[in-house]
Amino acid sequence: EISVGMDGDGGMIVNVGPQVTPSDEIPVILLSELAARDRVLLPWASEVEPSSDSDMDIDDPARVDRRLARQQARRGLRIAPSRTPRLDGKMIPGLSLFAARAFPSGSVVDFYRGRVLRPWEWPTVARAARYLVELDSQHCLDGGTGGPRPRGAHTAAYCNCIYNMPATVALPSGGEAATENLRLVLNYNKGLGSHCVALVATRDIEEGEELFFDYGASHVPDEIENIEDAAEEMGENPQG
């Protein structure tokens, strides 16, 4: 079956394949003969919480820096060089994300923000693709700036992966805990916007801890659930 529609810029979109109408059921599964795995298209809510992130000028480094400073201050986070050695004894190159305050287990630490991209817009350069979070078979979130030398455009993009990291780390208090302290949770009820992917604390996180989560297969959220009022829980300004 062929469907023809218009995108937001007045262009034409032609889809060839089974037609799916999003509903309240979750998820909608598209079985594709061309894909090696099931194609999942989530029934995204039509309403998206307003945010200035989608209109952000990521080509302006000064604006990116100002946005990162505001996000860190508002959410109790800090971007700094990594302090946790890998299993090979080397340090993670570049920057990492730290908790500037304590977060209880199960709380929303941050949202993974970025531009919502369709398949034909996905970057093919590995350096840029590392900032992608897969939402479903037709949508990804790009938390980076893009371009020839991309970097994180939002705080969550600086959170590193647990790959090649020790299973446990020393805590600022002197104890020890699992290195992985966050998980990605996708909430399709928030719509395709800035609050649909939350980074949730898997345990109590102390002030000063470095934050890690399992990137999985190309940053796929490890579960889908409803996190109602997550923005209010963080005391977040939707326009921030």
Side-chain angles (χ1 to χ4, degrees), residues 198-213:
L199 289 120
V200 179
T202 58
R203 58 172 175 77
D204 290 342
I205 298 175
E206 295 184 2
E207 179 180 348
E209 271 197 69
E210 192 166 354
L211 303 177
F212 294 93
F213 70 94

Side-chain angles (χ1 to χ4, degrees), residues 50-72 74-75 79 111-117 142-146 151-158 194 238-240:
S51 172
S52 59
D53 287 345
S54 58
D55 300 325
M56 180 180 176
D57 183 4
I58 57 176
D59 294 325
D60 185 342
R63 290 193 63 187
V64 172
D65 290 340
R66 290 194 296 270
R67 172 57 62 87
L68 288 172
R70 290 196 300 270
Q71 289 181 349
Q72 291 176 81
R74 185 188 310 127
R75 298 181 186 103
I79 297 172
F111 289 100
Y112 198 98
R113 300 172 180 265
R115 297 168 297 158
V116 177
L117 304 181
D142 183 3
T145 60
R151 64 186 179 111
H154 306 275
T155 47
Y158 289 87
S194 60
Q239 296 292 336

Side-chain angles (χ1 to χ4, degrees), residues 70-179:
R70 290 196 300 270
Q71 289 181 349
Q72 291 176 81
R74 185 188 310 127
R75 298 181 186 103
L77 300 170
R78 180 171 58 88
I79 297 172
S82 176
R83 296 202 304 260
T84 306
R86 302 183 305 194
L87 288 174
D88 59 10
K90 298 179 180 179
M91 301 301 296
I92 298 175
L95 299 173
S96 191
L97 190 64
F98 293 80
R101 63 178 178 88
F103 292 91
S105 178
S107 64
V108 176
V109 175
D110 200 0
F111 289 100
Y112 198 98
R113 300 172 180 265
R115 297 168 297 158
V116 177
L117 304 181
R118 300 300 300 276
W120 54 87
E121 300 173 305
W122 296 350
T124 57
V125 178
R127 186 182 177 92
R130 65 182 177 178
Y131 295 113
L132 293 181
V133 166
E134 181 181 337
L135 302 179
D136 61 19
S137 64
Q138 295 297 309
H139 305 92
C140 273
L141 270 181
D142 183 3
T145 60
R149 296 185 59 82
R151 64 186 179 111
H154 306 275
T155 47
Y158 289 87
C159 189
N160 281 305
C161 180
I162 61 170
Y163 174 73
N164 200 26
M165 301 300 294
T168 60
V169 293
L171 297 175
S173 64
E176 191 173 86
T179 303

